[in-house]
């Protein structure tokens, strides 16, 4: 049952199959019993903190006004009941009254079973190796531009596999901006709103020469690496210059499973990345693979050509280099990468904080090569995906 409160508390609708049956009180906890028998203890501060009455909450923005430090230290329950609408209603010792919709409560229930259920339901990344070459998620430019469900499917693929191809992008300068505008705004950098990848006489990056670029993420030199990268092919007439992609999460998980010591080293050792020219000086230091607080892979950060010397105790060098050498060797292992030559009109779109990309050396004497690239932060595709999910009735 969904009540009006479910919608007020969030932009999402918390539909639930479970209703509230009963509530019992102790001094600082209300324990609710659900129709499936689950028990959820709700701490008095948790409930008071989440009151959505018009004194505690700004309905216009659906943001909290009340600060929990303003609750009395001895605040307690005067009374709690399940009302006719199925909501939990609490009357507090100071007379304030709060209501909670069952859908919202179930979605935020802090009991162990509910928390485990939410964790299990969290989408897992789809991890891939060379076999992904045949399954690569490919989307048509015109469909992305015209159709919200295709846009949603494209963003869903970027969130799960982190690697997609868009076909039939017009072969025109800055044509990549149109599908990006369907998502959100750009992440501008010192290389421009749109950067031109071609062999340049006064290059300020190895990318703008014709050399082999080993597997890397772009701008590991920044505190926040750009989340999504788009690379649109305008001309690819030179011999060489094939694109290579590696799922950094596949390598991370393989290291965790088969090389735990190297995995521990690579996830904790600070690596320095530098990007300097006569006008700029960017530096950042972080582990090559970052984990979140649950131990899940969160981010890969690596570009050998932007790496500074390792700053670590002499006694740790052997272990650090063993881990780094292994990581690089795995990036070169054909079982982990896909390789493909871009044709004009193709556009790679991939998660730059997860998927490493490489470019084979090309020979600029044999023909012209010109790609255009741009970045969008991860927040932007996540936000757009959630709003589209709301509109399309998909869970988010
Ligand atoms: C880059 C890059 C890929 C290519 O510019 O950082 O990786 O195919 N370019 O030129
Ligand atoms: Zn209130
Ligand atoms: Zn790059």
């Amino acid at each position: 049952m969904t009540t009006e409160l479910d919608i007020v508390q969030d932009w999402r609708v918390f539909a639930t199959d479970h209703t509230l049956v009963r509530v019992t009180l102790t001094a600082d906890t209300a324990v609710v019993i659900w129709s499936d028998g689950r028990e959820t203890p709700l701490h008095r501060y948790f409930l008071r903190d989440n009151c959505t009455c018009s004194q505690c909450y700004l309905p216009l923005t659906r943001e909290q006004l009340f600060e929990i430090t303003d609750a009395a230290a001895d605040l307690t329950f005067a009374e709690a009941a399940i009302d006719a609408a199925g909501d939990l209603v609490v009357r507090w010792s100071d007379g304030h009254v709060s209501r909670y919709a069952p859908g919202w409560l179930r979605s935020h229930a802090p009991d162990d079973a509910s928390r485990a259920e939410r964790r299990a339901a969290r989408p897992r990344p789809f991890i891939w190796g060379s076999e992904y070459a045949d399954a690569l998620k490919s989307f048509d430019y015109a469909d992305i531009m015209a159709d919200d469900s295709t846009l949603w499917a494209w963003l869903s693929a970027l969130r799960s596999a982190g690697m997609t191809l868009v076909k039939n992008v017009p072969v025109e300068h800055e044509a990549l901006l149109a599908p990006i505008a369907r998502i959100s705004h750009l992440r501008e950098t010192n290389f421009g709103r749109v950067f031109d990848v071609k062999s340049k006489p006064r290059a300020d990056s190895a990318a703008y020469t014709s050399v082999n670029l080993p597997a890397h993420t772009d701008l590991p030199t920044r505190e926040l690496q750009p989340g999504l990268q788009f690379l649109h092919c305008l001309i690819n007439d030179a011999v060489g210059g094939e694109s290579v992609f590696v799922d950094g999460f596949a390598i991370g998980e393989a290291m965790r499973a088969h090389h735990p010591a190297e995995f521990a080293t690579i996830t904790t050792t600070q690596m320095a990345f530098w990007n300097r020219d006569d006008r700029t000086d960017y530096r950042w230091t972080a582990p090559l693979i970052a984990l979140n607080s649950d131990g899940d892979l969160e981010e890969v950060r690596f570009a050998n050509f932007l790496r500074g010397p390792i700053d670590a105790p002499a006694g740790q060098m052997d272990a650090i280099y063993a881990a780094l050498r292994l990581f690089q060797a795995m990036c070169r292992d054909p079982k982990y990468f896909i390789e493909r030559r871009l044709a004009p009109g193709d556009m790679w779109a991939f998660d730059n904080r997860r998927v490493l990309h490489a470019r084979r050396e090309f020979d600029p004497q044999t023909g012209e090569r010109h790609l255009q690239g741009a970045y969008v932060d991860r927040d932007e595709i996540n936000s757009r995906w959630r709003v589209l999910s709301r509109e399309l009735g998909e869970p988010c």
Side-chain angles (χ1 to χ4, degrees):
M1 179 168 52
T2 305
T3 72
E4 219 175 288
L5 272 179
D6 280 315
I7 306 170
V8 171
Q9 228 146 347
D10 197 304
W11 291 91
R12 288 174 290 172
V13 176
F14 298 105
T16 178
D17 302 330
H18 308 295
T19 52
L20 291 165
V21 175
R22 204 148 44 82
V23 54
T24 57
L25 297 175
T26 68
D28 64 4
T29 306
V31 181
V32 291
I33 318 290
W34 295 90
S35 47
D36 62 349
R38 184 169 295 175
E39 288 189 19
T40 303
L42 298 159
H43 189 270
R44 60 192 170 110
Y45 284 150
F46 177 83
L47 285 174
R48 186 62 191 86
D49 193 22
N50 287 292
C51 181
T52 51
C53 81
S54 55
Q55 269 171 275
C56 297
Y57 205 71
L58 196 59
L60 180 67
T61 61
R62 305 183 197 196
E63 289 166 338
Q64 194 168 25
L65 296 169
F66 179 71
E67 296 175 83
I68 194 61
T69 194
D70 290 328
D74 61 356
L75 179 78
T76 187
F77 304 102
E79 198 181 353
I82 314 301
D83 75 356
D87 295 334
L88 170 66
V89 183
V90 172
R91 194 162 57 78
W92 298 97
S93 50
D94 61 4
H96 196 81
V97 175
S98 307
R99 307 172 66 87
Y100 309 88
W104 183 89
L105 270 181
R106 183 81 177 202
S107 303
H108 299 84
D111 61 90
D112 293 345
S114 300
R115 298 190 74 244
E117 211 168 72
R118 288 202 292 277
R119 181 163 163 70
R122 238 187 277 161
R124 303 257 121 210
F126 169 79
I127 291 190
W128 47 269
S130 58
E131 76 292 339
Y132 189 55
D134 300 322
L136 179 68
K137 294 264 197 237
S138 175
F139 297 87
D140 192 76
Y141 170 84
D143 296 338
I144 285 175
M145 294 309 296
D147 175 28
D148 279 357
S149 53
T150 305
L151 177 61
W152 179 85
W154 181 36
L155 300 185
S156 298
L158 281 168
R159 284 163 51 93
S160 67
M163 176 76 230
T164 64
L165 178 64
V166 179
K167 306 282 292 175
N168 303 314
V169 180
V171 184
E172 291 161 16
H173 279 208
E174 305 208 337
L176 82 172
L177 292 178
I180 290 175
R182 288 280 284 151
I183 306 174
S184 186
H185 55 272
L186 292 177
R187 162 85 178 264
E188 194 169 348
T189 77
N190 62 309
F191 294 109
R193 269 166 51 75
V194 171
F195 51 91
D196 286 288
V197 184
K198 50 177 160 184
S199 189
K200 300 175 188 172
R202 295 192 65 231
D204 55 358
S205 164
Y208 304 148
T209 69
S210 61
V211 299
N212 176 64
L213 286 182
H216 65 283
T217 57
D218 275 14
L219 306 186
T221 54
R222 310 303 153 91
E223 180 175 6
L224 178 66
Q225 299 184 98
L228 272 291
Q229 177 166 175
F230 302 82
L231 268 180
H232 175 219
C233 178
L234 294 171
I235 309 171
N236 201 3
D237 290 339
V239 172
E242 291 77 15
S243 306
V244 175
F245 292 92
V246 180
D247 183 358
F249 283 5
I251 293 190
E253 291 302 352
M255 285 181 81
R256 193 204 302 263
H258 306 300
H259 305 278
E262 288 82 354
F263 180 73
T265 302
I266 216 86
T267 52
T268 52
T269 301
Q270 296 288 322
M271 293 265 176
F273 297 99
W274 297 348
N275 194 191
R276 298 163 297 181
D277 63 15
D278 53 350
R279 296 162 298 115
T280 60
D281 195 327
Y282 293 98
R283 304 181 188 201
W284 193 251
T285 298
L288 205 160
I289 296 178
L291 306 180
N292 67 17
S293 56
D294 290 328
D296 296 330
L297 301 179
E298 187 160 67
E299 172 166 53
V300 176
R301 177 188 293 269
F302 189 67
N304 196 61
F305 47 94
L306 302 175
R307 210 156 53 76
I310 292 169
D311 180 7
Q316 288 176 19
M317 288 291 179
D318 200 56
I320 293 171
Y321 275 104
L324 176 58
R325 284 163 52 85
L326 175 67
F327 178 85
Q328 290 180 316
M330 289 173 88
C331 287
R332 289 184 191 173
D333 183 339
K335 114 173 162 213
Y336 289 113
F337 67 72
I338 62 175
E339 176 164 354
R340 187 153 165 171
R341 194 180 169 76
L342 274 186
D346 288 349
M347 181 177 80
W348 295 120
F350 56 96
D351 185 336
N352 183 61
R353 295 172 62 196
R354 164 179 172 186
V355 173
L356 301 108
H357 59 292
R359 173 190 74 205
R360 304 289 186 212
E361 183 181 9
F362 64 93
D363 180 355
Q365 305 307 322
T366 55
E368 207 181 330
R369 184 178 191 276
H370 185 190
L371 312 186
Q372 284 197 312
Y375 306 114
V376 171
D377 279 329
R378 252 190 205 171
D379 287 335
E380 303 308 328
I381 78 148
N382 289 336
S383 167
R384 185 71 165 117
W385 178 85
R386 288 188 197 109
V387 172
L388 284 168
S389 298
R390 293 199 310 227
E391 289 169 5
L392 298 169
E394 298 285 345
C396 62

